[in-house]
């Protein structure tokens, strides 16, 4: 059965009067860490010095000089640590809970990382699963897999990547709590990990390209996934200067059943067929129409005047990039206090600058997503609902007024949100996604929303501001509050503002 982006999004909308409570089956809680019984992980070098640069310089890379020529096992270990690592622990209901550098809806962490390597010094070529809790690698395949990867995923000019990262989601982890709506979180959460990975690749000066268009079945086969339980959502290639073209295809054997069984994370898993079916509806990778320049009109709201964004006179950073990554947590104790013009401009820059010259060929996904923000408390800025124009690096005021308290009501009455200074909004016209890209367009928009959401989180942390992603809202109420047309929706919201305790200055 084919399900469109509009149908899935509508089906999984929350309505104030139709919220049905389902109990959480605590005895059947999904395991948030993946292991392969019978395999022992290779432990990666740890305690390596983290990059000391400021986030502003990583996001603001203007040329690709200093690119990495060779990846060794230490750099590789560092990239994985920057992509995903354990940053905090809490003891609750007699169990340790671990928090990670990337935010995740309900702390359910559906995303897993796999990576194929080629010519990494100190590591055999092959396919590895990254076990975040061990900072180690499970070897799943050995040998040079470049031919298969190039034929199966989009690589830059058929160049052989030094590393290819595959980000998957294990359905049941988020389904356990969110049921049919979980696919939204599979994508957003995976986008968050992607955000970290891309920042890490920039920090270590590795050229990279994102691919959301790959042959689903062949990739899942490569990774040894049980496709009914776990699927690949995003691929990122990283290249050294020595990358050469390869054009040979390869055939790969199926991995042992014990490998695919590891996609099961609980004894009794609930299946949400709509998620599998919607995911499979995305199989077509053909662009059906060309996105036009008028796309911002597609939301049904338009500012009268656009203004070029001004770069901050200085980024008010209180800690460096690595410290911000480790300090990043979801903060809800917002103070009713303004953020400075510089902080706001830096947050906007972190979104608009996110594409560095090291990042190649991912522009085609950009038009799937629109962004705006509600500013109640930004110094020097008229309160209102604004839209952002990525292409022209501009912002435009759509409607004057204070919207944040009303948005807090829309967000399932999470009333602490009313004290945030800004709500960043991730928006899409789902009918437009279906029209241009087919159902797969939903992946682009949601993955990108998650990726940019993670940039906002880390930027906020670097400036000592609080931040929290919000995936729970009454969908129609959100569209109505913003004045969007019938086919447009809020996909995700990220609230930012000063919070009660800010971390001390570091780095
Ligand atoms: C996609 C997404 C949706 C989220 N939605 C909410 C939400 O509606 N309400 C909330 O309080 N926190 C929300 N969060 C924050 C998560 O609860 C938080 O990331 C998780 O508990 C892990 O904690 P940490 O971010 O402090 O590491 C969301 C996070 C993500 C990534």
């Amino acid at each position: 059965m084919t399900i469109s982006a509009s149908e899935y999004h509508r089906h999984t909308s929350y309505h104030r009067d139709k919220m049905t409570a389902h109990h959480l089956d605590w005895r059947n809680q999904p395991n948030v860490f993946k292991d392969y019984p019978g395999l022992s992980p290779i432990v990666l070098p740890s305690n390596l010095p983290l990059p000391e640069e400021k986030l502003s310089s990583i996001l603001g890379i203007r040329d690709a000089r200093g690119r990495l020529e060779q990846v060794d096992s230490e750099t590789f270990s560092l990239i994985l640590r920057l992509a995903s690592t354990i940053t905090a622990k809490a003891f609750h209901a007699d169990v340790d809970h671990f928090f990670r550098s990337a935010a995740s809806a309900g702390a359910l962490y559906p995303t897993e990382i796999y990576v194929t390597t080629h010519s990494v010094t100190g590591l055999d070529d092959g396919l590895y699963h990254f076990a975040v809790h061990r900072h180690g690698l499970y070897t799943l395949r050995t040998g040079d897999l470049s031919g298969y990867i190039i034929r199966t995923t989009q690589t830059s000019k058929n160049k052989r990547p030094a590393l290819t990262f595959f980000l998957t989601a294990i359905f049941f982890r988020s389904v356990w709590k969110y049921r049919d709506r979980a696919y939204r979180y599979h994508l957003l959460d995976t986008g968050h990990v992607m955000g970290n990975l891309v920042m890490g690749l920039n920090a270590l000066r590795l050229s990279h390209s994102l691919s959301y268009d790959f042959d689903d079945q062949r990739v899942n086969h490569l990774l040894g996934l049980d496709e009914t339980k776990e699927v690949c959502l995003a691929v990122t290639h990283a290249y050294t200067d020595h990358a050469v073209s390869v054009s040979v295809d390869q055939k790969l054997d199926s991995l042992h059943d014990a490998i695919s069984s590891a996609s099961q994370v609980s004894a009794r898993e609930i299946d949400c067929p709509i998620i599998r079916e919607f995911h499979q509806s995305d199989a077509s990778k053909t662009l059906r129409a060309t996105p036009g320049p008028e796309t911002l009109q597609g939301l049904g709201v338009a500012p009268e005047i656009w203004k070029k964004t001004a770069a901050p006179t200085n980024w008010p950073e209180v800690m460096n990039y690595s410290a911000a990554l480790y300090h990043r947590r979801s903060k809800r104790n917002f103070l009713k206090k303004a953020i400075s013009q510089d902080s706001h401009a830096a947050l906007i820059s972190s979104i608009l600058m996110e594409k560095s010259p090291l990042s190649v060929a991912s522009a085609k996904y950009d038009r799937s997503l629109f962004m705006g923000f509600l500013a109640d408390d930004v110094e020097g800025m008229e309160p209102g609902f604004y839209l952002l124009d990525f292409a022209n690096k501009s912002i435009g005021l759509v409607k004057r007024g204070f919207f944040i308290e009303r948005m807090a009501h829309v967000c399932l009455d999470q009333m602490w949100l009313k004290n945030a200074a800004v709500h960043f909004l991730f928006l899409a016209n789902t009918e437009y996604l279906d029209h241009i890209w087919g159902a797969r367009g939903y992946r682009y928009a949601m993955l990108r929303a998650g990726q940019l959401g993670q940039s906002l989180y880390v930027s906020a942390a670097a400036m000592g501001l609080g931040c929290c992603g919000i995936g729970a809202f009454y969908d129609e109420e959100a569209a109505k509050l913003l004045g969007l047309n019938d086919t447009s929706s809020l996909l995700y919201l990220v609230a930012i503002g000063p919070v009660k305790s800010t971390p001390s200055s570091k780095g």
Side-chain angles (χ1 to χ4, degrees), residues 99-100 103-107 109 185 188-189 192 328-330 332 414 416 457 468-472 492:
F99 293 90
R100 305 191 194 177
S104 160
Y109 306 107
Y185 303 122
L188 290 170
D189 283 6
H192 273 268
R328 183 221 63 80
R329 292 298 308 278
S330 296
R332 299 169 182 86
Q414 301 184 70
W416 46 270
Y457 255 110
C468 192
I470 301 292
Y492 186 38

Side-chain angles (χ1 to χ4, degrees), residues 54-62 199 310-321 324 340-354 455-465 507:
K54 297 210 158 171
L55 183 67
S56 49
S57 50
I58 289 167
L59 294 174
I61 293 172
R62 294 207 197 292
M199 277 186 269
T313 36
N314 74 314
W315 279 56
E317 289 160 289
V318 296
M319 62 182 89
N320 70 23
Y321 149 65
S340 68
Q341 260 176 326
D342 268 349
S343 298
H344 186 260
L347 291 169
I348 300 281
S349 292
S350 73
I351 297 161
L352 297 178
M353 285 176 9
E354 164 260 351
S455 295
L456 283 174
Y457 255 110
V458 180
S459 306
M463 294 188 282
L465 295 169

Side-chain angles (χ1 to χ4, degrees), residues 14 87-88 98-109 177-178 184-190 192 327-332 411-412 414 416-417 446 450 453-454 457 467-473 491-494:
Y14 284 158
T87 52
F98 295 91
F99 293 90
R100 305 191 194 177
S101 49
S104 160
L108 292 164
Y109 306 107
K177 181 167 181 190
Y178 299 111
R184 296 186 183 205
Y185 303 122
H186 296 137
L187 292 167
L188 290 170
D189 283 6
T190 301
H192 273 268
H327 274 93
R328 183 221 63 80
R329 292 298 308 278
S330 296
K331 304 268 174 69
R332 299 169 182 86
C411 294
L412 269 52
Q414 301 184 70
W416 46 270
L417 278 170
M446 294 292 264
Q454 184 67 16
Y457 255 110
C467 180
C468 192
I470 301 292
F473 38 80
L491 303 180
Y492 186 38
L493 183 151
V494 172

Side-chain angles (χ1 to χ4, degrees), residues 64-90:
R65 265 178 300 177
R67 270 186 302 187
L68 217 60
E69 305 232 322
Q70 178 73 43
V71 181
D72 58 27
S73 57
E74 299 202 334
T75 311
F76 180 47
S77 167
L78 208 48
I79 296 170
L80 287 167
R81 191 172 293 289
L82 296 172
S84 181
T85 195
I86 307 283
T87 52
K89 186 168 98 168

Side-chain angles (χ1 to χ4, degrees), residues 246-462:
V246 181
S247 59
V248 201
D249 196 5
Q250 281 174 290
K251 294 230 175 323
L252 290 184
D253 292 338
S254 293
L255 289 172
H256 198 273
D257 285 353
I259 303 286
S260 57
S261 308
S263 297
Q264 173 146 1
V265 288
S266 175
R268 273 183 301 120
E269 298 193 348
I270 295 160
D271 180 35
C272 287
I274 189 168
I275 292 182
R276 279 187 292 101
E277 284 166 18
F278 179 44
H279 182 75
Q280 281 158 15
S281 308
D282 292 89
S284 152
K285 292 167 288 169
T286 31
L287 195 71
R288 297 176 185 192
T290 312
E294 77 293 351
T295 49
L296 263 166
Q297 312 288 332
L299 292 173
V301 286
E304 276 176 19
I305 304 167
W306 288 99
K307 238 176 79 184
K308 286 272 177 210
T309 54
T313 36
N314 74 314
W315 279 56
E317 289 160 289
V318 296
M319 62 182 89
N320 70 23
Y321 149 65
S322 308
L325 191 65
Y326 274 75
H327 274 93
R328 183 221 63 80
R329 292 298 308 278
S330 296
K331 304 268 174 69
R332 299 169 182 86
N333 53 344
F334 292 110
L335 288 167
K336 192 90 197 116
K337 210 172 143 193
I339 59 169
S340 68
Q341 260 176 326
D342 268 349
S343 298
H344 186 260
L347 291 169
I348 300 281
S349 292
S350 73
I351 297 161
L352 297 178
M353 285 176 9
E354 164 260 351
K355 187 91 28 66
S356 85
L358 294 165
S359 182
V360 278
S362 57
K364 68 172 273 204
Y365 306 121
D366 294 2
R367 286 184 186 276
S368 57
L369 183 76
F370 304 120
M371 268 197 80
F373 58 89
L374 304 176
D376 263 23
D377 235 343
V378 179
E379 276 172 11
M381 181 169 268
E382 185 162 11
F385 165 31
Y386 293 79
L387 277 182
L388 268 171
D389 181 342
F390 288 106
N392 296 307
K393 298 200 185 315
S394 315
I395 58 174
L397 178 62
V398 178
K399 279 199 275 189
R400 291 183 172 78
F402 293 91
F403 292 98
I404 281 188
E405 181 163 351
R406 279 186 279 163
M407 189 52 99
H409 279 291
V410 168
C411 294
L412 269 52
D413 296 308
Q414 301 184 70
M415 291 316 295
W416 46 270
L417 278 170
K418 75 175 183 191
N419 294 327
V422 195
H423 287 180
F424 282 93
L425 309 167
F426 297 89
L427 309 159
N429 181 330
T430 51
E431 216 166 71
Y432 173 78
L433 296 180
D434 285 322
H435 172 65
I436 305 286
W437 294 284
R440 205 166 180 114
Y442 195 71
R443 293 195 204 174
Y444 305 163
M446 294 292 264
L447 287 162
R448 188 158 156 75
Q451 185 188 343
L452 295 177
Q454 184 67 16
S455 295
L456 283 174
Y457 255 110
V458 180
S459 306

